[in-house]
């Protein structure tokens, strides 16, 4: 209901200023009232009296009187009483109940202000004691303020308005509920500014500010912090909204874009919400726009910087409107987040609520409510029937709660981002902030989410698709704390430099690496070789994503300790053939490994070391001949040394094993009696499987990225490992029969049976892997072509562990049986220990150290595994050739004759 609709047509005249206030309270037109002359002697009147503790003034017959102090009825109106005339004037008895409004030391002084010439100044001075104000004083003040005809003393007026805002919010709330005083204050402020010629275009108080600007030259207003105070500043004409957000020390602001700029020009900013006492809502960022006269498609944007206290709040855009005869905050407008600000966009003539333009003043704000459960909110974003623009805004808002994320929340973010992969209008500034917030999540949470749901790999994949699907008409750069997106034209780009404060500087004219040495605060750089640039169309767009930590890059098993600098992802247009030149990254660090990220949809992800970096002046350089996520891994110094030593040790022991296996085959070739034995034939098959594994191992580590070759070599390596373990199981069964069962009959076709199992069974898991998904053979973090994902676990690890478990029990039982024999001679003891060593190597139990090393049990187990498992062939040679008396004598006779 409008102000005019509340005006009563039966307003009694009265001479008391308090009566005048109560008339206002009852909806009477204060402008038509005047102070009546005092009652003359002899005029029939009701005398002064006290009735029910209420003081009634002397009043003419037929007139209404009001008690002093005010007494408010339950309907919010003042209690009144009629001076009746039945021959003798008298007061009728008071039967209505009411609540007396308490007065204060201020009340009497306010009643004297009505007669003063400088009313505004007097009220300003009295309002400085705002901590003593009661509901009656607040109401008396606003009515006195409204009745001031000439409000030229604007400084005193603004002083009064500001001081009222300092009154305790609970008292202001009480005043609004009982006598609707804050509504009157907003009405009074609007009338003051709209109807008064303001000499100054800026008036600023502690809690309140007013700015009048020439709309021909201005586009809005900002609130900025200057030391301990807030100041209002006009926004220059046609200043881009993004530029407004970059205003130094910006706290809040109000920006608009419309056709007829002469319609606007007066702004009110409230630095607290005391004039908007809606107890159920926490609203901030109050702005009032005055003198809205017409209804066109106007777009207003309310800006509010968020902080740690507000960033996790649920935000709604609101307008202060009348609803069911009461003013309150009504949700209206669209909410988004841009950089470090909440932004509400209001279209005044939106068909949903045309009432907005019917007031002289429109007040806007942002309503904050406590956030709901993070997981529930993310689920709602997935299922909500909303546009992708709204989905991104809601996700961005929730992403600021990164400290609360658990693994399932990361997975839900991955699902939301996957929904956006087909949209080419995603707000990439918001996406940049979302990724930056995700990079703040605890590393352990992200790792768990990757292990359980493949979530972080999915996020990386969706991120690529969203950016590549976007429509880029121009170059685009968006940077945040931990992530940056750059989309640049090839003609304007030869590389980039990252500085200490995450500042990105584009290199346009030179790809000469020597230019990098001039940057003292360089952390990383990326350069394109001229040859590679020449392969691409000059109109091509290059996408570079920069991750400032590796939180989203989670290896299934991270056995090595290393640190990661900035991670670059480069996306280039399709190039026919191989790259003619590399993409190089430079970092001001010590020797590192040049690595790139390998991941798929099977929770298979790792950093693959491509090469070692090379020194370049004060920098180190890595060259990449492909595009993906790549970086330089800085290994822990001890681990880097260990890695080199383990590689050296593996090369030596594998060479010795190949030599040993070769000698065994040579012996079988020259020694007929030894070759004819069934045990020798089984041993020779085991030797062939060992040679095949070593050869496949070295070939696999040097294959490169050719898919077909990697698949073929990976399958051979997979087969050779399983074959060797199958032959180890064959040997375990034979040793069990020999030392435990003892008196069993000789098995027919023993060699044929062992060959069928030793060479036939490994073909089953390898064949299944090739048929179901041949591409699962990928180059892993060690550079080997190997099965990945479920094929690695079920097709390799499971059978190997199963065979090792059987072999371990066989080993234990045989050793137990042999050592419990009664033969304690020295020769027998030597034989027993020689048997232990033989079985330990032949049954593959040295691989236990490999699994312990894989489980990060310590570097010692890595050394033991490389030393013992890789030297298996050499140990077998010692046991079967050197220690075997018959074979040894055979060689002695061959070398020295029968003597």
């Amino acid at each position: 209901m409008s102000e005019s609709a509340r005006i009563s047509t039966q307003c009694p005249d009265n001479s008391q200023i308090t009566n005048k206030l109560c008339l206002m309270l009852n909806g009477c037109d204060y402008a038509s009232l005047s102070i009546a002359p005092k009652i003359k002697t002899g005029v029939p009147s009701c005398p002064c009296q006290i009735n029910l503790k209420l003081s009634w003034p002397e009043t003419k017959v037929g007139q209404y009187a009001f008690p002093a102090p005010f007494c408010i009825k339950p309907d919010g109106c003042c209690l009144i009483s009629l001076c009746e005339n039945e021959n003798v004037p008298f007061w009728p008895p008071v039967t209505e109940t009411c609540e007396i409004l308490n007065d204060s030391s201020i009340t009497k002084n306010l009643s004297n202000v009505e007669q003063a010439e400088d009313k505004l100044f007097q009220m300003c001075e009295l309002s400085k004691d705002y901590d003593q104000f009661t509901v009656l004083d607040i109401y008396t003040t606003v009515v006195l303020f409204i009745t001031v005809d000439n409000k030229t003393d604007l400084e005193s007026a603004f002083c009064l308005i500001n001081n009222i805002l300092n009154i305790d919010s609970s008292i202001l709330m009480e005043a609004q509920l009982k006598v609707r005083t804050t509504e009157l204050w907003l009405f009074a402020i609007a009338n003051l500014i709209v109807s008064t010629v303001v000499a100054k275009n800026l008036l600023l108080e502690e809690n309140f500010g007013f700015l009048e600007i020439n709309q021909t030259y201005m586009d809005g207003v900002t609130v900025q912090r200057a030391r301990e105070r807030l100041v209002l500043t006009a926004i220059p004409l046609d200043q881009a909204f993004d530029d407004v957000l970059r205003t130094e020390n910006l706290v809040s602001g109000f920006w608009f874009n419309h056709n007829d700029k002469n319609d606007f020009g007066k702004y009110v900013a409230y630095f607290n919400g005391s004039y908007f006492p809606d107890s159920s809502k926490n609203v901030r960022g109050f702005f009032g726009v005055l003198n809205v006269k017409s209804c066109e498609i106007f777009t207003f944007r309310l800006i509010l910087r968020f902080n740690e206290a507000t960033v996790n709040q649920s935000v709604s855009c609101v307008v202060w409107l009348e609803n069911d005869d009461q003013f309150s905050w009504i949700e209206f407008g669209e909410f988004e987040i841009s950089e470090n600000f909440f932004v509400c966009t209001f279209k005044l003539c939106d068909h949903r609520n045309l009432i907005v333009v019917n007031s002289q003043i429109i007040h806007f704000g942002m309503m904050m409510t406590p956030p709901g459960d993070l997981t529930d909110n993310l689920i709602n974003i997935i299922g909500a029937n909303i546009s992708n623009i709204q989905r991104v805004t809601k996700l961005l808002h929730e992403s600021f709660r990164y400290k609360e994320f658990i693994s399932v929340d990361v997975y839900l973010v991955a699902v939301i981002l996957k929904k956006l992969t087909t949209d080419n209008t995603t707000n990439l500034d918001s996406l940049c902030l979302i990724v930056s917030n995700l990079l703040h999540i605890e590393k352990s949470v992200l790792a768990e989410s990757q292990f359980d749901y493949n979530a972080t790999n999915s996020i990386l994949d969706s991120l690529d698709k969203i950016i590549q699907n976007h429509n880029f008409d121009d170059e685009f750069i968006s940077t945040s704390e931990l992530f940056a997106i750059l989309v640049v034209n090839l003609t304007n780009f030869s590389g980039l430099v990252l500085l200490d404060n995450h500042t990105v500087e584009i290199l346009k004219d030179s790809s000469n690496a020597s230019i990098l040495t001039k940057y003292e605060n360089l952390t990383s750089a990326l350069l394109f070789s001229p040859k590679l640039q020449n392969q691409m169309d000059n109109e091509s767009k290059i996408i570079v994503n920069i991750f400032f930590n590796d939180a989203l890059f989670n290896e299934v098993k991270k056995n090595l300790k290393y640190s990661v600098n900035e991670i670059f992802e480069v996306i280039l247009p399709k190039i026919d053939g191989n790259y003619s030149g590399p993409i190089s990254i430079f970092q001001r660090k010590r020797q590192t490994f040049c690595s790139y990220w390998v991941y798929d949809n099977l929770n298979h992800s790792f950093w693959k070391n491509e090469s070692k970096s090379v020194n370049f002046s004060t920098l180190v350089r890595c060259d990449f001949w492909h595009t993906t996520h790549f970086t330089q891994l800085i290994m822990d110094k001890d681990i880097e040394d260990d890695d080199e030593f383990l590689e050296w040790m593996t090369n030596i022991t594998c060479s010795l094993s190949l030599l040993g296996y070769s000698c065994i085959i040579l012996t079988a070739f020259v020694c007929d009696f030894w070759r004819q034995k069934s045990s020798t034939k089984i041993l020779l098959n085991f030797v062939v499987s060992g040679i095949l594994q070593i050869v496949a191992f070295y070939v696999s580590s040097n294959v490169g990225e050719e898919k077909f070759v990697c698949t073929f070599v990976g399958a051979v390596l997979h087969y050779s490992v399983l074959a060797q373990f199958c032959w180890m199981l064959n040997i375990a069964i034979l040793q069990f029969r020999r030392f435990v069962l003892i008196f069993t009959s000789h098995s027919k076709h023993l060699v044929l049976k062992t060959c069928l199992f030793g060479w036939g069974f490994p073909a089953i898991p390898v064949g299944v892997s090739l048929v179901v998904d041949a591409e699962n053979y990928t180059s892993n973090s060690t550079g080997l072509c190997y099965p990945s994902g479920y094929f690695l676990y079920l097709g390799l690890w499971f059978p190997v562990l199963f065979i090792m478990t059987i072999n371990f029990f066989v080993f234990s039982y045989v050793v137990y049986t042999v050592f419990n024999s009664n033969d304690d001679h020295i020769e027998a003891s030597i034989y027993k220990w020689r048997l232990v060593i033989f079985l330990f190597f032949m049954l593959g139990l040295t691989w236990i150290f490999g699994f312990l090393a894989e489980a990060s049990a310590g570097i010692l187990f890595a050394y033991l595994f490389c030393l013992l498992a890789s030297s298996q062939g050499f140990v077998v040679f010692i046991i079967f050739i050197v220690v075997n008396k018959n074979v040894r004598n055979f060689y002695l006779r061959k070398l020295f004759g029968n003597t």
Side-chain angles (χ1 to χ4, degrees):
M1 185 169 61
S2 66
E3 290 290 333
S4 61
R6 288 198 296 265
I7 296 177
S8 172
T9 58
Q10 298 178 350
C11 295
D13 191 9
N14 198 279
S15 62
Q16 301 293 322
I17 181 65
T18 52
N19 295 349
K20 191 172 187 179
L21 303 179
C22 213
L23 290 173
M24 275 293 303
L25 183 62
N26 283 276
C28 296
D29 186 357
Y30 66 88
S32 66
L33 299 177
S34 60
I35 303 299
K38 292 183 179 180
I39 299 174
K40 296 181 180 179
T41 304
V43 177
S45 61
C46 295
C48 295
Q49 72 173 53
I50 297 178
N51 185 357
L52 297 177
K53 297 182 180 181
L54 299 177
S55 298
W56 297 94
E58 182 182 358
T59 307
K60 288 189 297 183
V61 172
Q63 298 292 320
Y64 287 94
F66 300 81
F70 286 162
C71 200
I72 306 300
K73 296 186 294 181
D75 62 2
C77 295
C78 281
L79 181 67
I80 59 176
S81 185
L82 175 66
C83 175
E84 297 180 351
N85 182 13
E86 294 180 2
N87 298 323
V88 179
F90 71 95
W91 292 104
V94 179
T95 58
E96 296 181 87
T97 59
C98 62
E99 180 182 352
I100 297 175
L101 294 182
N102 297 325
D103 58 359
S104 69
S105 60
I106 303 294
T107 310
K108 183 177 180 181
N109 293 330
L110 285 173
S111 65
N112 295 330
V113 167
E114 208 277 335
Q115 306 298 330
E117 294 182 0
D118 54 349
K119 296 182 180 66
L120 292 177
F121 177 77
Q122 294 294 331
M123 284 191 287
C124 170
E125 292 299 310
L126 288 172
S127 67
K128 292 178 180 178
D129 294 324
Y130 53 80
D131 56 336
Q132 300 180 34
F133 268 56
T134 63
V135 171
L136 177 59
D137 300 331
I138 298 169
Y139 183 78
T140 303
T141 304
V142 69
V143 176
L144 284 172
F145 181 81
I146 291 173
T147 59
V148 175
D149 296 326
N150 186 7
K151 298 183 178 70
T152 55
D153 186 5
L154 289 179
E155 290 190 5
S156 294
F158 275 63
C159 165
L160 174 60
I161 294 169
N162 179 74
N163 289 337
I164 294 297
L165 285 167
N166 279 323
I167 297 174
D168 187 88
S169 60
S170 62
I171 298 176
L172 286 170
M173 175 67 75
E174 181 185 0
Q176 169 63 15
L177 293 175
K178 290 181 176 178
V179 287
R180 303 181 75 163
T181 53
T182 53
E183 288 180 27
L184 288 174
W185 269 113
L186 292 175
F187 178 76
I189 292 169
N191 279 336
L192 169 69
I193 298 174
V194 171
S195 61
T196 304
V197 178
V198 181
K200 296 181 178 180
N201 66 347
L202 174 63
L203 292 168
L204 189 65
E205 296 288 343
E206 177 187 1
N207 300 309
F208 178 80
F210 165 75
L211 180 68
E212 181 172 13
I213 59 180
N214 184 333
Q215 291 309 112
T216 306
Y217 305 103
M218 304 298 175
D219 261 351
V221 59
T222 60
V223 177
Q224 301 173 45
R225 186 170 298 281
R227 297 182 181 176
E228 299 302 320
R229 288 184 60 83
L230 297 175
V231 297
L232 291 177
T233 305
I235 299 173
L237 180 67
D238 295 331
Q239 182 173 359
F241 180 69
D242 291 342
D243 293 335
V244 175
L245 297 182
R246 298 185 181 95
T247 303
E248 188 175 2
N249 299 320
L250 178 63
V251 175
S252 59
F254 203 79
W255 178 92
F256 61 85
N257 180 21
H258 61 91
N259 299 324
D260 184 4
K261 297 195 175 183
N262 292 319
D263 268 358
F264 302 92
K266 297 182 179 182
Y267 297 85
V268 180
Y270 306 89
F271 304 143
N272 74 45
S274 296
Y275 282 148
F276 308 94
D278 192 338
S279 60
S280 63
K281 296 169 183 174
N282 173 24
V283 179
R284 305 188 183 189
F286 313 95
F287 271 93
V289 180
L290 286 84
N291 204 24
V292 179
K293 298 175 182 177
S294 61
C295 185
E296 298 179 22
I297 303 302
F298 303 120
T299 299
F300 292 83
R301 284 185 176 176
L302 176 61
I303 308 162
L304 179 65
R305 182 184 293 274
F306 56 75
N307 52 37
E308 290 186 2
T310 60
V311 67
N312 293 332
Q313 297 286 302
S314 179
V315 181
S316 300
C317 307
V318 291
V319 179
W320 183 253
L321 292 175
E322 189 176 22
N323 185 32
D324 296 331
D325 200 33
Q326 291 289 332
F327 276 84
S328 62
W329 289 109
I330 306 298
E331 291 192 31
F332 183 77
E334 296 182 355
F335 169 74
E336 61 181 311
I337 296 177
S338 185
E339 297 188 14
N340 294 319
F341 294 90
F342 294 143
V343 179
C344 278
T345 301
F346 304 93
K347 293 182 179 179
L348 290 191
C349 293
D350 192 307
H351 66 279
R352 290 172 297 178
N353 206 333
L354 292 177
I355 191 173
V356 183
V357 299
N358 293 331
S359 302
Q360 286 183 309
I361 182 169
I362 308 172
H363 293 102
F364 302 90
M366 295 188 189
M367 182 171 67
M368 311 282 178
T369 55
D373 180 77
L374 176 60
T375 303
D376 289 343
N377 291 352
L378 292 171
I379 293 173
N380 290 336
I381 293 173
I382 294 173
N385 185 21
I386 56 177
S387 68
N388 279 340
I389 294 175
Q390 294 172 304
R391 208 181 305 277
V392 171
T393 297
K394 289 180 177 292
L395 176 58
L396 174 58
H397 196 190
E398 298 299 333
S399 71
F400 284 101
R401 300 170 65 180
Y402 50 80
K403 292 182 180 179
E404 304 175 36
F405 269 66
I406 57 177
S407 62
V408 70
D409 298 330
V410 181
Y411 164 71
L412 294 174
V413 171
V415 174
I416 295 170
L417 290 178
K418 192 171 183 178
K419 280 180 168 285
L420 303 175
T421 54
T422 57
D423 189 354
N424 60 5
T425 61
T426 301
N427 186 321
L428 294 189
D429 285 316
S430 296
L431 182 67
C432 186
L433 274 173
I434 291 170
V435 176
S436 179
N437 290 336
L438 294 178
L439 291 169
H440 277 292
I441 299 174
E442 280 289 333
K443 180 72 172 176
S444 58
V445 172
L446 291 168
E448 181 182 354
S449 182
Q450 171 59 26
F451 183 79
D452 292 341
Y453 310 107
N454 195 37
T456 55
N457 281 352
S458 177
I459 289 172
L460 292 173
D461 182 62
S462 296
L463 180 62
D464 286 353
K465 293 177 180 176
I466 292 170
I467 296 175
Q468 291 183 71
N469 288 341
H470 200 276
N471 290 331
F472 293 104
D473 295 326
D474 300 310
E475 294 188 339
F476 174 84
I477 297 178
S478 180
T479 60
S480 54
E481 184 180 358
L482 294 177
F483 184 65
I485 304 172
L486 292 87
V487 181
V488 293
N489 293 323
L490 178 62
T491 53
N492 298 322
F493 183 80
S494 63
L496 61 85
V497 172
L498 291 183
L499 306 179
D500 285 339
N501 55 357
H502 290 181
T503 300
V504 180
E505 182 174 324
I506 302 296
L507 300 176
K508 296 183 178 181
D509 301 324
S510 175
S511 59
N512 188 346
S514 60
I515 196 174
L516 302 178
T517 57
K518 75 174 186 178
Y519 293 95
E520 294 182 359
N521 57 343
L522 177 147
T523 60
S524 300
L526 180 145
L527 290 181
F528 282 70
S529 70
K531 291 182 179 179
L532 179 59
Q533 289 177 289
N534 292 334
Q535 282 186 277
M536 294 182 284
D537 189 332
N538 287 335
E539 301 301 321
S540 299
K541 281 188 168 57
I542 297 171
I543 299 173
V544 180
N545 297 328
I546 306 171
F547 301 80
F548 292 102
N549 71 33
D550 66 337
L552 291 175
F553 299 84
N554 295 284
E555 295 185 279
V556 177
K557 276 291 183 180
K558 180 177 178 179
N559 296 323
L560 300 180
K561 295 179 181 179
Y562 53 78
S563 60
V564 177
N565 291 317
E566 293 81 5
I567 299 167
F568 295 93
E569 179 188 20
V570 178
I571 301 174
L572 299 178
K574 186 176 180 180
I575 296 176
D576 295 330
N578 297 325
Y579 288 4
S580 298
I583 300 171
S584 302
I585 61 173
F586 298 79
Q587 292 180 339
R588 196 182 297 278
K589 299 289 183 182
R590 61 182 174 84
Q591 192 78 359
T592 59
F593 285 97
C594 305
S595 305
Y596 62 94
W597 186 245
V598 179
Y599 69 102
D600 55 30
N601 294 322
L602 298 172
N603 201 12
H604 177 241
S605 51
F606 54 87
W607 286 111
K608 181 176 180 181
N609 296 335
E610 188 165 62
S611 62
K612 285 190 176 180
S613 58
V614 296
N615 292 325
F616 179 83
S617 184
T618 58
L619 309 173
V620 289
R621 186 188 77 205
C622 283
D623 292 334
F624 296 91
W625 298 77
H626 53 85
T627 57
T628 181
H629 304 87
F630 40 71
T631 189
Q632 294 182 1
L633 299 185
I634 305 171
M635 307 301 292
D636 181 275
K637 180 65 171 116
D638 292 336
I639 291 179
E640 185 178 342
D641 294 341
D642 287 333
D643 190 59
E644 292 181 357
F645 186 74
L646 287 172
E647 183 178 355
W648 174 81
M649 180 188 295
T650 301
N651 289 334
I652 292 178
T653 51
C654 283
S655 299
L656 290 174
S657 288
L658 280 176
L659 177 63
Y661 286 143
S662 300
C663 290
I664 292 174
I665 293 176
L666 176 63
T667 301
F669 183 76
V670 299
C671 187
D672 291 337
F673 77 91
W674 186 71
R675 183 176 66 246
Q676 297 302 322
K677 295 181 179 179
S678 295
S679 60
T680 303
K681 293 176 181 179
I682 292 173
L683 175 64
L684 288 174
N685 279 277
F686 169 78
V687 167
V688 171
S689 69
I691 294 174
L692 181 62
Q693 181 188 4
I694 293 175
V695 172
F697 170 79
Y698 279 100
V699 172
S700 177
S701 62
N702 292 280
V703 164
E705 298 298 319
E706 179 61 38
K707 283 189 174 296
F708 175 78
V709 178
C710 187
T711 298
F712 176 77
V713 175
V716 172
L717 181 59
H718 184 189
Y719 178 82
S720 65
V721 171
L722 290 178
Q724 188 172 36
F725 271 91
C726 286
W727 281 108
M728 291 177 187
L729 181 59
N730 283 331
I731 293 172
I733 294 172
L734 291 177
Q735 299 307 311
F736 183 81
R737 290 166 58 90
R738 177 182 178 186
F739 291 102
V740 178
L741 300 181
I742 302 175
F743 297 111
T744 58
S745 60
H746 182 73
S747 177
K748 295 181 179 180
H749 311 298
L750 177 64
V751 175
L752 177 61
K753 292 178 181 179
T754 55
C755 283
L756 288 174
F757 177 72
W759 297 114
F761 174 78
I764 297 175
V766 175
V768 171
S769 298
L770 288 171
V771 171
V772 175
D773 183 12
E775 293 186 358
N776 85 89
Y777 289 97
T778 59
S779 184
N780 65 15
S781 58
T782 60
L784 294 176
C785 291
Y786 220 45
S788 59
Y790 297 118
F791 300 100
L792 175 66
Y793 306 138
L794 299 178
L796 182 66
W797 286 10
F798 175 75
V800 166
L801 284 172
F802 181 75
I803 291 173
M804 282 186 61
T805 302
I806 296 175
N807 287 0
F808 177 78
F809 282 108
V810 170
F811 171 80
S812 302
Y813 202 88
V814 169
V815 170
Y816 172 79
T817 302
V818 169
F819 274 81
N820 276 347
S821 64
N822 296 323
D823 192 351
D824 295 328
H825 293 92
I826 295 178
E827 290 185 359
S829 297
I830 294 175
Y831 173 78
K832 292 176 184 179
W833 283 108
R834 191 171 68 186
L835 178 64
V836 169
I837 297 172
F838 160 73
L839 291 177
F840 187 77
F841 278 90
M842 286 297 296
L843 303 189
L845 299 183
T846 54
W847 278 65
I848 293 175
F849 301 122
F851 284 102
L852 290 174
E854 182 74 11
S856 302
I859 191 63
L860 173 62
F861 295 105
Y863 275 97
L864 289 174
F865 176 70
C866 287
L867 177 64
L868 300 179
S870 300
S871 60
Q872 184 183 45
F874 186 74
V875 173
V876 170
F877 164 71
I878 296 295
I879 293 173
F880 280 94
I881 304 301
V882 177
V883 176
N884 188 309
K885 184 177 180 180
N886 293 330
V887 175
R888 187 174 66 245
N889 290 336
F890 170 79
Y891 274 109
L892 290 174
R893 287 195 300 270
K894 286 286 184 180
L895 292 173
F896 303 107
N898 295 326
T899 58

